[in-house]
Amino acid sequence: SQQGEEDPQALSIQEGENATMNCSYKTSINNLQWYRQNSGRGLVHLILIRSNEREKHSGRLRVTLDTSKKSSSLLITASRAADTASYFCATEYGNKLVFGAGTILRVKS
Amino acid sequence: GAVVSQHPSRVICKSGTSVKIECRSLDFQATTMFWYRQFPKQSLMLMATSNEGSKATYEQGVEKDKFLINHASLTLSTLTVTSAHPEDSSFYICSAWPQGIQGDTQYFGPGTRLTVL
C-alpha cells in the first residue's frame, strides 16, 4: 500500500499548547498536503509543500518535509479549542492523492 | 476559492435499492473528479477517478458494476451505488481538480453520508 502512516493516532492537549503530528510515506512524491476534517464534514485544505521545499508556514501552521526520511510534520502553535479535528496528510502520486491514517486532535479549553 | 458541492448531504435507503450522489464544481471546470469512501474513524480511500467524456478508472478492489460513475459534463460527476447493502454504508466524498487554476490543490465536497438499512 502507498498509504502513509501518521502518528500519533490521537492527541489530546490543553488550549495554548502546541500540537505536532507526523506523517511518513513510502515512495517518491510530487508534493505533500495536509488537510483538516471536522467530525462528519468534508476536508479543508491546510497547506501544500512541494518535494523541493523543506519548510512552509501558514499562520499558526508550520509544515516540514524531509524527503530523505520520507516524512513530514505539521505543527500547530498556540492551539485553540476550534482546532479540534482530524488531520490527514496526503501524498500526490501522478494526479492521485493517497491519504495517511490521520491524527485525531482534541484541544481542551 | 473553488467550491465543490455534493447532493444529497445525507441519505438513508433500504437494502437492494440504488442511490445516486452528485458532485458539482460550482465555479470552475473539472475534467477530472475523484470519489473517496471513508468509514468511521478511518482515512479516505480513493475509489475511482472520474474523467469527463471517458470511462472512470477504478482502484483495485472497487467493483465498477456496483459503483457506477458518470462524468456528464465539466462540472458534474455522479456516483450511483447500485443494489446497496448495509456494508456500503459510509461517508462518500468527491473532489475536483480545477483546470486553469494555479496550484495543485484538489477541492473537496462536503461529503454524503449513506446509511443502508
Side-chain angles (χ1 to χ4, degrees), chain B residues 32-48:
Chain B
T32 304
M33 291 183 173
F34 302 88
W35 286 97
Y36 297 83
R37 180 168 53 186
Q38 185 181 31
F39 292 108
K41 298 190 186 303
Q42 294 188 25
S43 187
L44 280 75
M45 294 298 292
L46 179 65
M47 298 175 66

Side-chain angles (χ1 to χ4, degrees), chain B residues 32-88:
Chain B
T32 304
M33 291 183 173
F34 302 88
W35 286 97
Y36 297 83
R37 180 168 53 186
Q38 185 181 31
F39 292 108
K41 298 190 186 303
Q42 294 188 25
S43 187
L44 280 75
M45 294 298 292
L46 179 65
M47 298 175 66
T49 303
S50 173
N51 304 297
E52 190 270 337
S54 64
K55 292 182 179 180
T57 305
Y58 291 81
E59 295 300 302
Q60 193 172 9
V62 178
E63 299 176 60
K64 62 179 181 180
D65 294 330
K66 181 168 184 62
F67 299 99
L68 301 179
I69 292 172
N70 182 23
H71 199 136
S73 73
L74 287 172
T75 59
L76 173 64
S77 175
T78 60
L79 168 69
T80 301
V81 183
T82 63
S83 187
H85 289 96
E87 57 265 31
D88 298 323

